[in-house]
Amino acid sequence: MTFRTLILRSLGFHWRSHVGVVLGAAVGSAALVGALVVGDSVKQTLRERALQRVGWVEMALAPSDRFFTQAAVSNAAANLPPGSPYRLASALRLPGTATRQDGSARANRIQILGVTPAFWNAEASAAVRELPPRGVVLNEALAAQLRAVPGDDLVLRLHKPSALSRDVPISPRSDASVALRVRVHAIATAADLGDFNLHASPGATFNAFVPLADLDAAAGLRGRANLLLLGRDQSRATERDARSLEAFTLDHLRNLADLELELLPLAGGREVELRSTRIFLDPPVLAAARTESPRPILTYLVNLFRAGSNTVPYSMVTAAGPPLVPADLAEDEIVVNRWLAEELEVEPGRSIELSYYLPDSGAPLIERTNRFRVRAVVPIEGRHADRQLMPEFPGLAKAESTHDWDAGFPLEHPIRDQDEAYWKQHRGTPKAFVSLAAGRRLWGSRFGDATAVRWEVPPGRTVSEFRAVLETNLLAALRPGELGLNFEPVRAQALAASAGSQDFGGLFLGFSFFLIAAALILMGLLFQFHLEQRASEIGTLLALGFTPKRVRRLLLGEGLGLALVGGLLGTAGGVAYARGMIQGLTTTWRDAIASVPLGFHVTGGTLALGVAAGVVVCGLTFLIVLRRQARQPARALLAGGAAESGAGSGTQGRLWPGAASGAVVCLSGAAGLVVAAVARGETANAGVFFGAGALLLAGGLLASAVGLRRLAGSA
């Protein structure tokens, strides 16, 4: 008889005694397999959602506060290399709100996306692609929120983008929102790309898609977009192809309009000026403009001029170099025009104070005051009468009256009739001039330290020729990436985000720890009891010449066979357990996963891993039980194991004081963890939960062992 045959026959002979052991192994394996299947289901669901929200898009250029021309994207798409598997699409993405026209439902914080047919997934329905003017396509989440169906009328409200950041004090604070009345044309599913979002969000994404032309007109952006999508329709595209197309696309964005810059000839003179639709010139732009003797200019709005008891409110001051100010103008000197000198009653040599808000102060509106000495008084003529020195400050530049200003902050100083008359006649012509160094020290910020750069047209060149040279030099020196026009690998980021989320498999293994531990303890006790019933059989084997090591191998082989049977039975239970968990996570406990609809996913590898892990854990449990069982003499075992307690009583007696101390330590540690967590307000801390639970379980087991030992001793 072979060793394997002996194990199989022993399993068959003792099958009634093995039922409990198999059931214990099945419970432990079911918990292991179920936890792993739940983890796989969550991971696969998150991966699918990540791919659904980016659709066909591989890379995206999505600057947070910049816009480029739609024409550049169309030109790049039209000039794709023949046979290229890639495609491009531009879109305009703006935040907003949506309400039913009757006001019965509302959704806040939605994405309003202006799109073209090129935006949608290849398998998108015709109803979604054929979006008519003044129509809107809602994704399923937004449609459910608004209880909207095709044919319903909605009102979309969006904030018009501003040229200035709202952190700048002179940025308008009025509600520059626009209402767009639309009719629901269709409902986009996730397969259509209805859940499009470049960034993972904890809750549902609310998307409203309108024709790009409609949203562009409503926002007043004049053919601009802020979203450029690059992707592929065919699997033959490679990463190298993607990088080449990225560079190809960025080349089409290398024009001044796409960089939000303008190079304009100044009226009435041989000068050319570079300005930005963003008001302040970015540092890379200033660095690129250091050719052909540039003259940077910084103009800012100050709150008040004061000289003694005389004041003049809300005026433009320009910081520049020659010829607007003397070349040797000190940083504490100022040049004022005649109108301001007369209002303040000052002359050269007198001191005046100048108060202003720090450009970086944002909502707190931090005001500073500096004192200057008047260097000269100039007439309002020639260069000092140039109203183009004031940038197109939103809320100010187009105002016909000072009473129409939206300066971005409350006008605390009263505007007099003479101030209104100055605005009517001279508009934003600066009333004072300081050195460029002084202006940058006072009004330089993270937004930039110049509002324009000017050049004198050299003799022998026409204005148009010189402008063309400047444009060529600027574009050669500027890189779109320096201005925030960078492609991001959104598909790779989405997959990385889904893979890096909470390990739900490990989490549910932790939740199942006590169940697994209890199953293993029960299984070990049943196996121990079974071995005690077979003491005479084990003694016979030893008496026949079997070594203790060979006997342990025989018993371990039986145990592993039982563990394998239990693991296979537990697999079915684990799958059912996982289904129940996923059902709970999508219904009763859906807040735990931010209302993400989970799907059930199971793989053969996960089931095999669960069974293998269950067998290994059960095998270790059997090894612990078998450590001493076959070490007893054959004579004692043939006598029914009566000598066991005597042989081991001394050892066991020495262990009980340690067990009692261990119980006290474990129970005290569990109580300490709970008290500390409550004191720190960390009652939802997973580490505290598992740590305190484990200590409580260990302490309870040790305390029970001590109590049982004492009961046995008293008996």
Side-chain angles (χ1 to χ4, degrees):
M1 179 181 294
T2 65
F3 191 75
R4 181 169 54 183
T5 303
L6 183 60
I7 292 176
L8 292 175
R9 289 189 177 182
S10 180
L11 285 172
F13 183 80
H14 296 288
W15 70 269
R16 292 179 181 85
S17 301
H18 290 326
V19 171
V21 178
V22 170
L23 291 178
V27 171
S29 295
L32 282 169
V33 170
L36 293 175
V37 171
V38 169
D40 273 2
S41 298
V42 174
K43 183 182 297 184
Q44 185 62 27
T45 298
L46 292 177
R47 177 184 173 84
E48 290 175 355
R49 283 180 57 83
L51 293 176
Q52 283 178 345
R53 67 178 174 83
V54 297
W56 60 272
V57 181
E58 298 259 348
M59 308 180 77
L61 191 154
S64 59
D65 60 349
R66 291 182 179 273
F67 298 87
F68 47 84
T69 63
Q70 299 169 24
V73 181
S74 300
N75 187 31
N79 288 281
L80 284 175
S84 171
Y86 285 88
R87 61 176 169 133
L88 297 170
S90 61
L92 178 59
R93 179 181 58 175
L94 298 173
T97 62
T99 56
R100 292 181 60 92
Q101 191 154 331
D102 59 10
S104 60
R106 177 186 179 91
N108 298 320
R109 297 182 181 178
I110 73 169
Q111 285 190 125
I112 304 176
L113 293 125
V115 299
T116 64
F119 169 83
W120 301 101
N121 280 339
E123 60 272 19
S125 64
V128 169
R129 288 179 174 275
E130 298 167 0
L131 183 55
R134 293 292 174 178
V136 64
V137 170
L138 307 179
N139 72 339
E140 292 175 317
L142 182 55
Q145 174 72 14
L146 297 176
R147 303 187 297 278
V149 296
D152 287 350
D153 291 324
L154 304 176
V155 177
L156 304 180
R157 187 168 293 278
L158 58 108
H159 290 280
K160 296 181 68 173
S162 174
L164 273 176
S165 167
R166 291 190 176 272
D167 289 336
V168 180
I170 57 176
S171 180
R173 295 298 191 269
S174 62
D175 184 15
S177 61
V178 177
L180 191 60
R181 299 184 183 277
V182 293
R183 177 161 293 177
V184 179
H185 177 68
I187 308 299
T189 65
D192 295 326
L193 197 53
D195 293 339
F196 173 79
N197 197 344
L198 295 180
H199 304 286
S201 58
T205 298
F206 291 157
N207 286 338
F209 304 92
V210 299
L212 178 56
D214 287 358
L215 187 59
D216 179 77
L221 292 173
R222 297 172 297 176
R224 291 183 173 271
N226 62 355
L227 201 57
L228 197 164
L229 308 176
L230 183 157
R232 54 182 170 180
D233 290 324
Q234 304 175 28
S235 60
R236 60 192 177 90
T238 65
E239 181 67 17
R240 182 177 179 181
D241 294 332
R243 293 298 177 185
S244 298
L245 186 59
E246 176 187 353
F248 168 81
T249 306
L250 288 175
D251 281 341
H252 283 76
L253 296 180
R254 292 187 62 184
N255 60 74
L256 292 182
D258 289 308
L259 301 178
E260 298 184 284
L261 298 173
E262 299 174 299
L263 198 55
L264 305 172
L266 294 180
R270 289 175 55 81
E271 287 185 298
V272 176
E273 180 177 88
L274 175 68
R275 60 172 58 194
S276 172
T277 56
R278 296 164 54 82
I279 307 302
F280 291 97
L281 295 175
D282 296 286
V285 174
L286 286 176
R290 291 173 183 167
T291 61
E292 303 286 345
S293 303
R295 293 187 285 110
I297 292 170
L298 174 60
T299 299
Y300 194 68
L301 176 68
V302 300
N303 300 339
L304 193 70
F305 283 108
R306 180 186 298 275
S309 60
N310 299 320
T311 60
V312 171
Y314 308 113
S315 308
M316 296 294 166
V317 177
T318 292
L324 281 172
V325 299
D328 60 347
L329 186 69
E331 290 192 30
D332 63 346
E333 292 182 325
I334 190 169
V335 174
V336 300
N337 68 12
R338 191 172 303 281
W339 186 92
L340 180 62
E342 291 175 354
E343 291 296 318
L344 294 178
E345 299 179 358
V346 296
E347 57 187 17
R350 291 284 304 276
S351 293
I352 63 174
E353 292 180 348
L354 183 153
S355 300
Y356 56 91
Y357 288 128
L358 293 177
D360 281 324
S361 61
L365 295 177
I366 302 173
E367 190 175 48
R368 291 286 186 267
T369 299
N370 285 78
R371 182 181 295 273
F372 291 87
R373 181 170 54 84
V374 177
R375 170 71 176 269
V377 177
V378 296
I380 308 177
E381 58 185 36
R383 296 182 182 277
H384 297 105
D386 187 356
R387 62 178 61 186
Q388 295 180 81
L389 288 170
M390 184 188 82
E392 292 291 316
F393 286 128
L396 299 180
K398 298 186 183 303
E400 293 298 325
S401 168
T402 55
H403 303 296
D404 300 328
W405 281 2
D406 181 4
F409 53 84
L411 302 180
E412 298 178 352
H413 307 294
I415 297 178
R416 308 162 304 166
D417 292 341
Q418 53 267 47
D419 302 318
E420 172 72 10
Y422 185 94
W423 180 262
K424 293 281 189 182
Q425 183 177 358
H426 302 291
R427 306 292 291 179
T429 301
K431 297 173 184 173
F433 304 86
V434 297
S435 68
L436 184 62
R440 286 176 166 172
R441 176 171 54 83
L442 301 181
W443 308 311
S445 67
R446 68 179 187 275
F447 307 108
D449 57 10
T451 53
V453 177
R454 290 185 174 184
W455 290 268
E456 291 278 356
V457 179
R461 292 186 184 179
T462 66
V463 174
S464 59
E465 290 173 346
F466 185 63
R467 180 180 176 277
V469 170
L470 288 176
E471 182 171 357
T472 300
N473 293 341
L474 285 170
L475 293 177
L478 279 174
R479 296 290 180 272
E482 296 176 330
L483 301 179
L485 297 178
N486 290 307
F487 274 99
E488 295 292 335
V490 293
R491 178 183 291 271
Q493 290 173 350
L495 292 176
S498 68
S501 59
Q502 171 69 51
D503 181 7
F504 275 79
L507 181 64
F508 278 93
L509 275 176
F511 285 149
S512 306
F513 168 77
F514 302 111
L515 176 61
I516 296 171
L520 292 175
I521 291 172
L522 176 62
M523 183 186 66
L525 291 174
L526 290 172
F527 192 64
Q528 172 79 36
F529 178 73
H530 172 67
L531 293 180
E532 290 175 356
Q533 301 302 312
R534 296 171 60 184
S536 60
E537 177 187 339
I538 296 171
T540 301
L541 292 174
L542 292 172
L544 291 174
F546 280 75
T547 64
K549 182 177 181 181
R550 191 168 181 81
V551 171
R552 284 198 299 271
R553 286 181 57 195
L554 173 65
L555 296 175
L556 181 61
E558 288 186 34
L560 292 177
L562 297 175
L564 180 59
V565 174
L568 294 175
L569 292 176
T571 300
V575 171
Y577 167 67
R579 282 190 178 276
M581 281 293 176
I582 290 173
Q583 179 65 22
L585 286 171
T586 54
T587 54
T588 307
W589 309 320
R590 66 182 301 152
D591 288 343
I593 54 172
S595 303
V596 176
L598 289 180
F600 179 77
H601 299 276
V602 61
T603 63
T606 297
L607 296 180
L609 177 62
V611 172
V615 171
V616 170
V617 172
C618 292
L620 292 175
T621 304
F622 294 145
L623 277 175
I624 294 172
V625 172
L626 290 169
R627 284 182 61 187
R628 289 186 351 208
Q629 185 64 34
R631 293 180 182 176
Q632 299 182 61
R635 182 175 180 181
L637 291 169
L638 288 171
E644 179 184 356
S645 69
S649 60
T651 302
Q652 292 176 1
R654 287 193 299 272
L655 291 176
W656 293 126
S661 301
V664 172
V665 171
C666 289
L667 294 175
S668 301
L673 280 176
V674 173
V675 171
V678 172
R680 294 195 302 266
E682 297 179 356
T683 54
N685 188 302
V688 172
F689 173 78
F690 288 121
L695 289 173
L696 183 61
L697 175 63
L701 290 173
L702 290 172
S704 299
V706 172
L708 290 173
R709 178 65 178 175
R710 289 179 177 175
L711 286 174
S714 63

